[in-house]
């Protein structure tokens, strides 16, 4: 799964660097890429208990690293949306980043489950 996502991130980079109306042809993020992320989320969530509250990021070292990646992904999503307002870009790019950040959240929960680390509820 992670190997596939790494490859898709290269596609995303080319996609974002090339407006839709460019004369060159580059690979593009498509709905099928988004669907694959959603299938990954569904597969991992089968092992997880449903969320009943917000949880604080953290836990195992691996899960914490994934939480950092999710934060970076969210930032990329916001910047992509801002860029889409200025140039004609593939709308699937922002959708992909949104679903990727959701997947990273689920991966972090799954890693903590496998490491035996309990989730800490956010208490406002």
């Amino acid at each position: 799964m992670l190997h596939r996502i790494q490859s898709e991130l290269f596609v995303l980079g080319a996609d974002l660097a090339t407006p839709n109306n460019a004369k060159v042809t580059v690979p593009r993020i498509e709905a099928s890429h988004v669907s694959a992320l959603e299938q990954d989320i569904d597969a991992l969530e089968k092992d997880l208990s449903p969320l009943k509250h917000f949880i604080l990021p953290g836990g195992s070292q691996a899960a914490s690293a994934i939480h950092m990646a999710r934060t970076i992904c969210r930032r990329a999503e916001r910047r992509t949306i801002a860029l889409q307002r200025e140039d004609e870009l593939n709308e699937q790019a922002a959708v992909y980043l949104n679903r990727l950040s959701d997947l990273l959240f689920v991966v972090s929960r799954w890693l903590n489950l496998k490491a035996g680390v309990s989730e800490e509820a956010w208490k406002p």
Side-chain angles (χ1 to χ4, degrees):
M1 173 180 62
L2 292 178
H3 186 273
R4 186 195 80 237
I5 291 169
Q6 285 179 317
S7 179
E8 291 170 357
L9 287 172
F10 273 87
V11 171
L12 178 65
D15 197 345
L16 290 173
T18 312
N20 286 345
N21 58 3
K23 295 185 183 196
V24 296
T25 302
V26 298
R28 300 283 183 186
I29 291 293
E30 300 174 359
S32 61
H33 295 108
V34 175
S35 293
L37 294 176
E38 291 171 347
Q39 290 171 5
D40 294 336
I41 291 168
D42 292 344
L44 292 173
E45 281 186 331
K46 288 179 182 176
D47 293 341
L48 300 172
S49 60
L51 279 178
K52 295 184 170 130
H53 46 74
F54 289 110
I55 60 169
L56 295 174
S60 70
Q61 187 173 6
S64 295
I66 296 296
H67 276 297
M68 289 295 295
R70 182 174 69 87
T71 300
I72 294 165
C73 187
R74 285 284 190 212
R75 185 182 330 139
E77 178 188 3
R78 289 190 306 273
R79 290 183 177 175
T80 298
I81 291 168
L83 187 59
Q84 285 175 332
R85 292 182 184 133
E86 297 175 22
D87 210 340
E88 187 179 327
L89 296 176
N90 179 3
E91 291 182 13
Q92 288 297 311
V95 175
Y96 180 87
L97 286 167
N98 178 271
R99 299 311 294 151
L100 177 59
S101 63
D102 289 346
L103 172 61
L104 292 171
F105 177 75
V106 172
V107 167
S108 68
R109 292 188 67 215
W110 188 85
L111 288 169
N112 277 335
L113 174 70
K114 295 303 175 185
V117 176
S118 60
E119 297 173 334
E120 185 177 345
W122 174 62
K123 296 174 186 154

